[in-house]
Amino acid sequence: MNKKKYIIGTTLAFLLCITTNVFAFTMGCVSYLNTGTFFITSSSKTTATVTCSNIYAYNGLYQDGVLKKQTSKEVQNATSVTTSENSITNSMGDQLWQSYGVHSATSDGTTYVDSSSTTRTW
């Protein structure tokens, strides 16, 4: 009889863990960088698996380590946010371009913060 209770208890605990993990919060973040002959553009996106009371994305466009343009966007009660696009005229010669993003999302009173970056020489 004790073996039966152990099996049933273990099975219920296992099912509870699986159910809890299905609804766990996850935040994703990415920074985009597009290089072209005339223009360099960048933006950042923050996503979450649940609706957040507050979700935020920042993007900075750097040329050879110098901040050239920046933008941010914050929304409430959403699962994603994308910044508007930074755009700058390309210069002659090779430069190191970087799109750097800062991301945050608030869910159930807890704020999660992360960053993303992508670089390209063009």
Side-chain angles (χ1 to χ4, degrees):
M1 192 68 151
N2 285 338
K3 189 175 183 179
K4 236 186 214 183
K5 286 182 182 178
Y6 175 77
I7 291 172
I8 291 172
T10 305
T11 303
L12 289 174
F14 179 71
L15 290 174
L16 181 61
C17 287
I18 290 174
T19 306
T20 302
N21 285 336
V22 169
F23 297 106
F25 175 86
T26 304
M27 182 177 79
C29 53
V30 64
S31 287
Y32 302 100
L33 179 64
N34 297 308
T35 52
T37 304
F38 299 109
F39 295 100
I40 307 295
T41 59
S42 70
S43 63
S44 293
K45 182 176 184 177
T46 306
T47 58
T49 54
V50 298
T51 299
C52 297
S53 57
N54 189 52
I55 191 164
Y56 170 83
Y58 162 87
N59 180 263
L61 177 59
Y62 291 81
Q63 178 186 13
D64 294 325
V66 177
L67 179 63
K68 294 296 185 174
K69 293 257 183 142
Q70 61 185 339
T71 186
S72 63
K73 187 171 182 180
E74 184 174 13
V75 295
Q76 285 73 41
N77 300 317
T79 57
S80 69
V81 63
T82 304
T83 65
S84 58
E85 194 173 80
N86 286 316
S87 182
I88 190 168
T89 304
N90 196 2
S91 304
M92 296 292 288
D94 288 343
Q95 291 95 37
L96 177 64
W97 295 96
Q98 180 184 23
S99 175
Y100 177 74
V102 176
H103 313 269
S104 70
T106 302
S107 176
D108 293 329
T110 303
T111 300
Y112 303 86
V113 179
D114 205 347
S115 63
S116 62
S117 178
T118 185
T119 59
R120 187 170 300 139
T121 301
W122 183 260

